[in-house]
């Protein structure tokens, strides 16, 4: 097994290696368009573009200024669409890909501009006859790819766009289900079965690539640095400890697979969300997101371990189960119009969430006054990653657990800050954790106090990410507002001055959230899901009136 997961590009580690036919026999040029799929191993689009007698191969990545250029108006360093951690991770992944391509006699050609315009120009100027790029299910790429395929078809360019970012083709699953995506993991599993490619070894090594042809007048650059893109020098302590790239992904995979007992006994609900010095998961999600690691190769490596294990966990909680969850969300997202919003989304409960910028900002900026929640949000800002149970806690707290803020607002912040931000999975998880879809047991919530304490009674995680509380005794670390003033003074952390008071009372807020969700669910049931804006406004006004009456009833009565 270890041989299968220790990839190098100079010597093949699997018997099935990619070889090119004679390059001299043809005179045509091919283009491989990298977007995700930033890897050499298990890359069918690269295999296609580099074979069939291609004399020249142009490996291209297009930097879209809208995605990469600094936006000084954003709430965190980064562009209009992505935080600086994810941009840096992408640049590192591109640099690693370029290094691997150079070892194979090629290089990565980086161009800047609107992707469609750049690709059309390259296809024309370089007289490309074959175009390869990985199939992408995201709406943005779906629209982009239709334009590219139509252009290519009109000028006689052959296009190959294989499904290799996921284990299954979402279209196949949806077709098997009568044209609609399965809405439960169990039904997805029944439809999916075993992946069609899983019975044979994947191609993981390339011996060489055709050379890059003449650039013509195209402006080609090397992979830029953050500074070259216009970002200020950011200290290492402010950036994620996870480095991007296929090489790093394969090292992490090999390390994880070498611990065969851990792989066999992996059980998702039992991970420790407070473990940060050595995270309780593989931290392979950002590498899967950018395609630095093939999910199919990951799947085969895990299968190799499980074949020789005396016993092992099974989906949905096992390591394979996590990969299948990923495909489940990809399939539902691909087959559900307006999947990334509440309005118009047929699988999403219509709920009159609060529009409260103050509470949203307190949550985003780690100022809720609940140390467990705030520490997680600091880790998100600094690392761009946190354990999945930590994500569950802060998402529940923002939405159905305490603040009752719209899940789309939290989704936007995760989408910006996470290095593994993935359109299908991020939206799917927010729908789930807000009890808007998939999961409807809204009475089950994550306590912002007791949940973290269960894993980390001493509060080491909080002390690391919230150093203002580093000297708070463990008895008060999760509820510092309950510490006597003398204790706060000794800990050099006065609540309300050095660290915020809680923005809400958890006991009161959680009860109110449950009541609101019960009424919203009843509204959805009565109207059979056809809930309009006015229906939501009426219910929202009722919530406000109920809250006003509750406040009045709690005011002390004046003495006559």
């Amino acid at each position: 097994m270890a041989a299968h997961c220790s990839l190098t590009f100079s010597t093949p580690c699997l018997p099935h290696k990619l070889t090119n036919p004679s390059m001299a026999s043809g005179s045509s040029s091919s283009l491989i368009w990298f977007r995700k799929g930033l890897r050499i191993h298990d890359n069918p689009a690269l295999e296609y573009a580099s074979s069939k007698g291609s004399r020249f191969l142009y490996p291209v990545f297009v930097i879209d200024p809208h995605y990469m250029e600094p936006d000084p108006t954003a709430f965190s360093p980064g562009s209009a669409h992505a935080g600086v951690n994810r941009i840096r991770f992408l640049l590192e992944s591109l640099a690693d890909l370029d290094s691997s391509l150079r070892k194979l006699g090629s290089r990565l050609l980086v161009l800047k501009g609107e992707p469609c315009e750049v690709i059309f120009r390259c296809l024309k100027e370089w007289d490309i006859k074959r175009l390869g790029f990985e199939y992408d299910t995201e709406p943005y790429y779906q629209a982009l790819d239709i334009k590219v395929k139509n252009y290519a078809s009109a000028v006689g360019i052959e296009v190959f766009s294989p499904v290799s970012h996921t284990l299954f083709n979402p279209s196949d699953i949806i077709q098997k289900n009568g044209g609609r995506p399965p809405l439960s993991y169990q039904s997805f599993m029944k439809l999916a079965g075993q992946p069609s490619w899983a019975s044979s070894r994947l191609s993981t090594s390339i011996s060489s690539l055709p050379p890059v042809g003449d650039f013509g007048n195209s402006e080609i650059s090397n992979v830029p640095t953050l500074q070259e893109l216009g970002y200020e020098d950011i200290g290492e302590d402010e950036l994620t400890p996870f480095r991007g790239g296929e090489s790093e992904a394969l090292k992490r995979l090999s390390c994880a697979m070498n611990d065969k007992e851990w792989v066999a006994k992996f059980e998702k609900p039992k991970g420790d969300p407070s473990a940060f010095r050595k995270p309780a998961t593989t931290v392979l999600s950002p590498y899967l997101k950018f395609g630095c690691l093939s999910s199919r190769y990951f799947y085969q490596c895990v299968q190799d371990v499980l074949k020789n294990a005396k016993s092992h966990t099974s989906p949905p909680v096992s390591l394979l189960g996590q990969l299948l969850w990923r495909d489940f969300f990809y399939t539902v997202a691909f087959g559900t119009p307006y999947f990334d919003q509440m309005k118009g989304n047929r699988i999403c409960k219509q709920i009159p969430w609060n529009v409260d910028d103050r509470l949203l900002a307190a949550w985003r900026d780690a100022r809720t006054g609940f140390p467990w929640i705030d520490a997680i949000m600091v880790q998100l800002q600094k690392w761009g990653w946190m354990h999945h149970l930590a994500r569950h806690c802060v998402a529940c707290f923002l939405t159905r657990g305490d603040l009752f803020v719209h899940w789309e607002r939290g989704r936007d912040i995760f989408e910006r800050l996470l290095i593994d931000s993935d359109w299908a999975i991020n939206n799917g998880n927010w729908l789930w954790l807000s009890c808007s879809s998939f999961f409807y047991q809204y009475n089950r919530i994550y306590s912002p106090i007791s949940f973290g304490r269960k894993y980390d009674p001493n509060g080491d995680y909080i002390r690391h990410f919230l150093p203002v509380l580093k000297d708070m005794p463990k008895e008060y670390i999760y509820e510092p507002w309950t510490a006597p003033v003398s204790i706060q003074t000794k800990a050099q952390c006065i609540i309300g001055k050095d660290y915020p008071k809680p923005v809400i009372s958890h006991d009161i807020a959680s009860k109110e959230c449950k009541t609101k969700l019960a009424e919203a669910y009843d509204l959805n049931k009565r109207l059979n899901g056809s809930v309009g804006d006015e229906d939501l406004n009426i219910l929202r006004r009722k919530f406000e009136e109920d809250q006003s009456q509750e406040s009045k009833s709690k005011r002390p009565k004046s003495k006559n």
Side-chain angles (χ1 to χ4, degrees):
M1 195 292 309
H4 294 152
C5 290
S6 301
L7 279 147
T8 58
F9 302 126
S10 53
T11 54
C13 50
L14 290 177
H16 292 74
K17 89 170 180 179
L18 244 124
T19 54
N20 291 313
S22 172
M23 296 172 201
S25 60
S27 59
S28 63
S29 297
S30 299
L31 188 149
I32 169 72
W33 179 18
F34 288 100
R35 298 100 65 89
K36 295 170 188 165
L38 304 179
R39 64 180 183 271
I40 304 296
H41 75 279
D42 184 33
N43 194 328
L46 176 61
E47 178 181 357
Y48 162 84
S50 62
S51 64
K52 296 185 71 174
S54 295
R55 186 177 180 187
F56 299 114
L57 174 66
Y58 293 84
V60 167
F61 183 87
V62 182
I63 288 183
D64 186 343
H66 296 295
Y67 181 84
M68 303 285 265
E69 286 184 353
D71 179 4
T73 67
F75 71 81
S76 71
S79 70
H81 300 286
V84 72
N85 269 323
R86 190 158 80 250
I87 292 172
R88 188 177 81 156
F89 192 95
L90 171 58
L91 295 178
E92 290 170 345
S93 301
L94 293 173
D96 184 70
L97 176 63
D98 180 50
S99 176
S100 297
L101 289 169
R102 288 178 187 273
K103 291 173 186 175
L104 297 169
S106 185
R107 63 164 290 194
L108 187 63
L109 308 175
V110 179
L111 299 98
K112 295 180 182 178
E114 196 283 318
C116 260
E117 293 175 4
V118 172
I119 293 299
F120 291 170
R121 189 168 66 246
C122 291
L123 294 175
K124 184 177 180 181
E125 289 186 8
W126 299 340
D127 193 25
I128 300 297
K129 298 301 180 188
R130 284 186 291 276
L131 169 65
F133 56 87
E134 186 176 65
Y135 185 78
D136 199 307
T137 56
E138 285 189 31
Y140 169 79
Y141 284 106
Q142 286 282 300
L144 191 66
D145 294 354
I146 288 171
K147 292 178 185 176
V148 172
K149 287 176 181 177
N150 287 343
Y151 175 86
S153 176
V155 296
I157 296 172
E158 189 177 301
V159 176
F160 182 57
S161 183
V163 174
S164 53
H165 190 63
T166 49
L167 304 178
F168 301 92
N169 184 339
S171 294
D172 292 344
I173 304 292
I174 291 168
Q175 188 176 1
K176 285 182 184 178
N177 201 43
R180 285 200 165 195
L183 297 181
S184 73
Y185 184 84
Q186 292 74 17
S187 57
F188 169 81
M189 290 288 287
K190 286 179 184 176
L191 291 162
Q194 288 296 314
S196 58
W197 47 265
S199 58
S200 57
R201 304 308 304 182
L202 294 165
S203 298
T204 58
S205 174
I206 295 179
S207 56
S208 63
L209 290 170
V212 177
D214 183 23
F215 303 159
N217 295 321
S218 298
E219 290 186 21
I220 305 295
S221 69
N222 293 320
V223 178
T225 63
L226 276 174
Q227 287 71 32
E228 287 169 344
L229 286 175
Y231 292 94
E232 295 178 5
D233 191 24
I234 300 168
E236 286 297 309
D237 63 327
E238 297 300 318
L239 291 170
T240 179
F242 308 116
R243 302 280 75 86
E246 179 181 23
S247 300
E248 182 66 23
L250 294 173
K251 282 180 195 171
R252 283 188 168 275
L253 177 67
S254 179
C255 183
M257 294 302 105
N258 283 336
D259 190 345
K260 296 176 177 58
E261 184 179 1
W262 181 85
V263 172
K265 292 183 177 179
F266 182 92
E267 193 169 352
K268 183 174 178 178
K270 295 185 178 179
D272 181 356
S274 69
F276 63 94
R277 290 186 176 91
K278 185 183 178 183
T281 65
T282 62
V283 195
L284 286 171
S285 54
Y287 303 94
L288 291 167
K289 179 264 187 304
F290 283 107
C292 302
L293 175 64
S294 158
S295 63
R296 309 193 307 176
Y297 182 64
F298 189 4
Y299 182 95
Q300 283 198 339
C301 286
V302 175
Q303 287 280 44
D304 286 342
V305 174
L306 300 185
K307 284 174 189 173
N308 300 311
K310 290 181 181 178
S311 63
H312 59 80
T313 54
S314 301
V317 299
S318 65
L319 206 50
L320 281 185
Q322 306 319 300
L323 284 171
L324 292 163
W325 272 114
R326 177 176 181 266
D327 263 60
F328 166 70
F329 279 128
Y330 265 81
T331 303
V332 181
F334 181 62
T336 305
Y338 309 109
F339 183 71
D340 60 348
Q341 61 188 56
M342 181 177 79
K343 191 173 182 178
N345 184 347
R346 63 179 178 80
I347 71 168
C348 180
K349 297 282 188 189
Q350 303 299 298
I351 297 169
W353 299 104
N354 290 342
V355 179
D356 193 318
D357 291 339
R358 181 186 64 86
L359 288 178
L360 179 70
W363 177 84
R364 180 193 71 197
D365 300 336
R367 293 185 288 102
T368 68
F370 289 88
W372 172 245
I373 298 299
D374 292 342
I376 294 169
M377 294 306 290
V378 170
Q379 186 183 22
L380 170 61
Q381 291 164 13
K382 289 199 167 189
W383 288 23
W385 182 91
M386 62 281 212
H387 189 276
H388 60 269
L389 288 177
R391 302 181 194 205
H392 291 190
C393 287
V394 293
C396 177
F397 183 85
L398 180 70
T399 57
R400 65 183 176 85
D402 290 85
L403 305 187
F404 211 67
V405 171
H406 203 312
W407 63 266
E408 291 177 16
R409 308 290 298 278
R411 181 275 320 278
D412 289 345
I413 290 166
F414 268 32
E415 189 173 288
R416 175 177 184 79
L417 297 178
L418 285 170
I419 56 173
D420 61 4
S421 178
D422 184 302
W423 187 82
I425 298 169
N426 190 31
N427 281 293
N429 277 327
W430 277 95
L431 284 162
W432 186 299
L433 291 163
S434 65
C435 280
S436 294
S437 193
F438 305 116
F439 176 81
Y440 304 106
Q441 298 176 42
Y442 55 80
N443 284 311
R444 292 174 57 187
I445 63 169
Y446 292 90
S447 166
I449 299 163
S450 62
F451 189 82
R453 183 182 280 148
K454 178 173 65 173
Y455 294 94
D456 181 20
N458 193 51
D460 293 338
Y461 177 84
I462 292 170
R463 296 177 202 280
H464 179 83
F465 288 106
L466 292 175
V468 69
L469 291 167
K470 64 182 174 62
D471 295 322
M472 188 66 68
K474 68 177 184 179
E475 294 83 3
Y476 303 106
I477 191 77
Y478 286 89
E479 302 173 271
W481 62 90
T482 65
V485 174
S486 60
I487 297 291
Q488 295 181 32
T489 303
K490 188 176 179 181
Q492 297 183 359
C493 182
I494 304 300
I495 304 307
K497 177 186 173 186
D498 302 305
Y499 180 73
K501 293 178 180 178
V503 290
I504 44 88
S505 162
H506 168 63
D507 289 342
I508 294 171
S510 61
K511 287 176 184 175
E512 289 177 351
C513 285
K514 290 172 187 176
T515 300
K516 290 175 181 178
L517 278 168
E519 294 193 43
Y521 270 40
D522 181 63
L523 177 67
N524 278 261
K525 186 177 180 180
R526 281 190 288 109
L527 299 181
N528 198 27
S530 299
V531 180
D533 290 343
E534 186 54 31
D535 300 310
L536 291 177
N537 287 333
I538 291 170
L539 187 54
R540 186 177 286 110
R541 285 194 292 271
K542 180 182 181 301
F543 290 165
E544 291 169 356
E545 289 168 6
D546 290 348
Q547 198 163 353
S548 177
Q549 289 297 323
E550 184 77 14
S551 298
K552 286 179 183 177
S553 67
K554 288 181 179 177
R555 287 177 192 161
K557 293 180 180 179
S558 58
K559 294 180 180 179
N560 294 325

